[in-house]
Amino acid sequence: MHLHWRYLGIVALGGALGTAARDAISTALPAQNGVSWSIFWINITGALLLGVLLESLARRGPDEGRRRILRLLLGTGVLGGFTTYSTLATSTAALFLAHRNLTGTGYALLTVLAGAVATGAGIAIASRLHSRKDAA
């Protein structure tokens, strides 16, 4: 069962770390002309790392013990706090409200599609690394 207090604490700790990292980056690199490229790259990087993490953990065995703790801490916690599709939605809505419909549509589509590609790339990277390890 996933709803143990210790698991919730692990997710909360990871989420605090990921959120702090996202906030530091997005504060250092604010939006330009209403487009938050830092949030775009945060989401893409997070999607890539999540693909690597989950594929790596899945190849090592069932979701239990240390693998579950790593998934909850790093995946749900750190990367869940690091990425932010709510900010993507807010930024996109702001672009539409500013009558920048094409920019808003492009920003949203680019983020979602690039995120999907990044996740696939992360899975492929982890798969390839795992195959090399098995071959060695």
Side-chain angles (χ1 to χ4, degrees):
M1 176 165 187
H2 289 294
L3 290 178
H4 290 291
W5 285 110
R6 71 182 177 125
Y7 291 147
L8 293 174
I10 288 167
V11 170
L13 172 65
L17 295 171
T19 301
R22 171 177 34 93
D23 184 59
I25 293 168
S26 63
T27 299
L29 304 167
Q32 298 172 354
N33 299 320
V35 178
S36 183
W37 291 109
S38 62
I39 295 299
F40 171 82
W41 287 110
I42 285 167
N43 285 333
I44 302 314
T45 302
L48 175 79
L49 294 174
L50 191 58
V52 170
L53 175 69
L54 295 181
E55 181 67 14
S56 296
L57 291 175
R59 288 182 172 271
R60 285 178 171 76
D63 184 36
E64 53 193 34
R66 284 185 9 204
R67 283 182 297 279
R68 178 175 293 164
I69 290 170
L70 283 172
R71 178 182 56 80
L72 292 172
L73 174 68
L74 299 176
T76 306
V78 173
L79 294 173
F82 185 64
T83 59
T84 174
Y85 280 89
S86 60
T87 302
L88 164 67
T90 302
S91 297
T92 302
L95 288 167
F96 279 109
L97 289 172
H99 306 289
R100 297 182 62 203
N101 299 344
L102 186 59
T103 302
T105 301
Y107 180 66
L109 285 175
L110 180 63
T111 302
V112 172
L113 293 175
V117 169
T119 301
I123 291 168
I125 290 166
S127 177
R128 185 167 195 145
L129 290 173
H130 187 77
S131 296
R132 284 186 182 173
K133 185 178 176 184
D134 286 346

